[in-house]
Amino acid sequence: MDPTSVGSLANFINTQFHKLDILVNNAGVSGMIVDAEDFTSLNLGYLAEDFTGSNLKNIEIVGAKTDMVKQVVKHTYETDEICLRTNYYGTKQVTQALIPLLLQSHSPRIVNLSSSFGKLKFLSNERAKEEFLEDAREGLLEKKGWPVSLSAYVVSKAALNAYTRILANKLPKISINAVSPGFVKTDMSFNGGEFTVEEGARGPVILALAPDGGPSGLSFYQMELSTF
Ligand SMILES: NC(=O)c1ccc[n+]([C@@H]2O[C@H](COP(=O)([O-])OP(=O)(O)OC[C@H]3O[C@@H](n4cnc5c(N)ncnc54)[C@H](OP(=O)(O)O)[C@@H]3O)[C@@H](O)[C@H]2O)c1
């Protein structure tokens, strides 16, 4: 994220409105280099359903498809870095710049668009994000036991989930939650997702408009409470 652009957004909101009621951190990238046709032919609707569902029942099936995914999904150090910068560091930077304005609101809300790929089940190490980039630079991801497909995405969303919890704890006045929209038909999924954009947006919108005293520091899969 460009700090000048973040700063001018904060200045603009301050000048025009003096406060911010709702911040939805939606911007994100997959960190993958993918051939759209190969990706679609993998029948990832099935994979994503297994992988992003709230109870992750069929994780073994995902394991079995890992090699297929690895064949069509490539990544480099640069794409890994952009993914972490956008999904975690960028979100944090924008949020930090806007917190003073959110604190001026009577009912402030932050909604972080996360993913079930970021579950701690896949990654539990708090120092993971720095170590991940170091290992990616050295080409040691597989050897060091990082998730073999979508690794930057997994790390970035796990870090975003951790940030959601830490911030909610620090700022009880703001309702701050993470939500996975499900596997949605967007550019990111090459329009191959399971849900329409409207269906995917439902969870984030409900959290953004939740009444006072609602949830904070929690993780949702669409409209259901989920686990980190
Ligand atoms: N689609 C899914 O199945 C799915 C599943 C789970 C979670 N999510 C999450 O949902 C969110 C939205 O994803 P999507 O599916 O709508 O993806 P998308 O269609 O690829 O859209 C991503 C959006 O993020 C913006 N963006 C990317 N990098 C940015 C940057 N550095 N600064 C500002 N904006 C940036 C893009 O802007 P430009 O168009 O200008 O590049 C685009 O508007 C993401 O956080 C994603 O991780 C999606």
Side-chain angles (χ1 to χ4, degrees):
M1 295 280 163
D2 172 7
T4 319
S5 148
V6 175
S8 40
L9 172 67
N11 282 339
F12 172 79
I13 297 170
N14 189 26
T15 313
Q16 295 290 316
F17 309 105
H18 315 296
K19 62 161 188 167
L20 179 63
D21 294 320
I22 297 169
L23 169 63
V24 178
N25 286 312
N26 177 68
V29 295
S30 69
M32 304 186 284
I33 306 164
V34 194
D35 179 282
E37 231 169 81
D38 289 350
F39 186 83
T40 309
S41 71
L42 262 187
N43 187 20
L44 281 186
Y46 178 46
L47 169 68
E49 193 185 344
D50 296 333
F51 212 24
T52 62
S54 50
N55 49 16
L56 301 168
K57 276 196 287 231
N58 295 324
I59 201 73
E60 301 80 14
I61 301 171
V62 175
K65 284 203 176 185
T66 298
D67 282 345
M68 290 160 70
V69 174
K70 268 168 70 182
Q71 279 168 24
V72 298
V73 173
K74 310 270 179 249
H75 66 103
T76 62
Y77 175 75
E78 283 69 32
T79 60
D80 290 343
E81 195 184 18
I82 289 169
C83 186
L84 258 83
R85 277 220 190 123
T86 308
N87 298 358
Y88 172 66
Y89 291 104
T91 298
K92 192 170 167 188
Q93 201 182 338
V94 170
T95 304
Q96 293 301 131
L98 297 177
I99 282 172
L101 287 160
L102 284 156
L103 290 172
Q104 298 304 312
S105 166
H106 288 303
S107 299
R109 309 275 178 263
I110 299 176
V111 181
N112 291 327
L113 263 291
S114 190
S115 162
S116 300
F117 281 109
K119 279 183 183 286
L120 289 174
K121 196 174 262 249
F122 300 116
L123 182 77
S124 57
N125 189 332
E126 282 295 315
R127 295 198 321 273
K129 47 195 185 291
E130 283 117 38
E131 287 182 19
F132 170 79
L133 279 179
E134 251 176 67
D135 290 343
R137 191 183 289 119
E138 306 289 325
L140 294 174
L141 290 181
E142 204 157 349
K143 199 169 164 202
K144 293 277 194 85
W146 291 102
V148 283
S149 49
L150 293 172
S151 28
Y153 193 72
V154 168
V155 173
S156 71
K157 294 297 186 181
L160 179 62
N161 287 347
Y163 180 59
T164 303
R165 297 167 89 173
I166 291 165
L167 205 60
N169 209 27
K170 257 198 197 158
L171 300 171
K173 199 196 155 196
I174 309 180
S175 158
I176 307 169
N177 293 290
V179 57
S180 165
F183 192 41
V184 183
K185 295 183 211 302
T186 63
D187 290 349
M188 187 179 279
S189 64
F190 304 102
N191 289 305
E194 191 188 356
F195 301 106
T196 63
V197 167
E198 289 75 12
E199 288 166 332
R202 213 168 276 160
V205 168
I206 284 175
L207 286 171
L209 301 178
D212 287 347
S216 192
L218 299 178
S219 164
F220 291 81
Y221 175 77
Q222 299 189 323
M223 282 152 296
E224 270 173 45
L225 186 60
S226 183
T227 56
F228 285 101

